[in-house]
Amino acid sequence: GVAEQSRTRDDNSIVTDISIVVTGSLKGRMNKSAPMFLTLPGGQVGDVITYAVEMPIFQKDERVLLYLVSADHGLLVLCGKRGKYDIVTDKSTGKEYIQGGSVPAQVGLKTPPPDSVSGKTAQAGTSNDPKRFEEKRLLLDDYKEFIRDTINAQEAEKNQPPTQDNPKSKITSPYTSTP
């Protein structure tokens, strides 16, 4: 669930403090059931509203999947709107899906990433099979599997010595840049 409160800082800028209860982490260490706090630019205090165009918007009690990155003043949502996905439950099947809550996030879901090791387009039958990215939503469990597979491939690649075919010993990917 999400809760938020806007306030004015000493420099008269408006920020919104967001409290999110963590239910799980795919990478990094977060305490389950513990609140996590984000401070985003923009919000409403009285009749004054400021809006940060690229920042995600949160709704009270929504369930979200976030890509986060550490910053000097705490955690930030990576890539703004593209780093926040809504978790929804299909009422007829009970299955959980993620879907983009903004146009940039929807584009991110529809674009299959390259294979994390080779950089080539993924093959059918793999966890990042392009067919899985055709809809505007993905099964949450499938997406988690894809992220875990990508993280495992990155870790395996980090542990391999550089070669002529792959001179980099570390893979970078916008899809797994969580802390």
Side-chain angles (χ1 to χ4, degrees), residues 27-100:
K27 185 175 179 184
R29 296 182 186 205
M30 303 293 281
N31 293 329
K32 278 188 175 182
S33 302
M36 173 185 66
F37 301 96
L38 303 173
T39 299
L40 300 177
Q44 180 174 354
V45 175
D47 292 336
V48 179
I49 298 172
T50 61
Y51 182 67
V53 176
E54 290 302 316
M55 290 294 109
I57 297 171
F58 292 86
Q59 303 295 322
K60 183 178 170 125
D61 296 326
E62 74 179 327
R63 296 181 60 221
V64 296
L65 182 142
L66 299 173
Y67 283 82
L68 302 172
V69 63
S70 294
D72 292 336
H73 57 280
L75 296 172
L76 294 175
V77 179
L78 184 67
C79 298
K81 291 179 180 179
R82 191 165 179 171
K84 176 193 175 247
Y85 295 89
D86 300 328
I87 299 174
V88 296
T89 303
D90 185 311
K91 292 179 182 175
S92 63
T93 65
K95 293 183 179 182
E96 292 183 311
Y97 292 86
I98 64 164
Q99 62 186 28

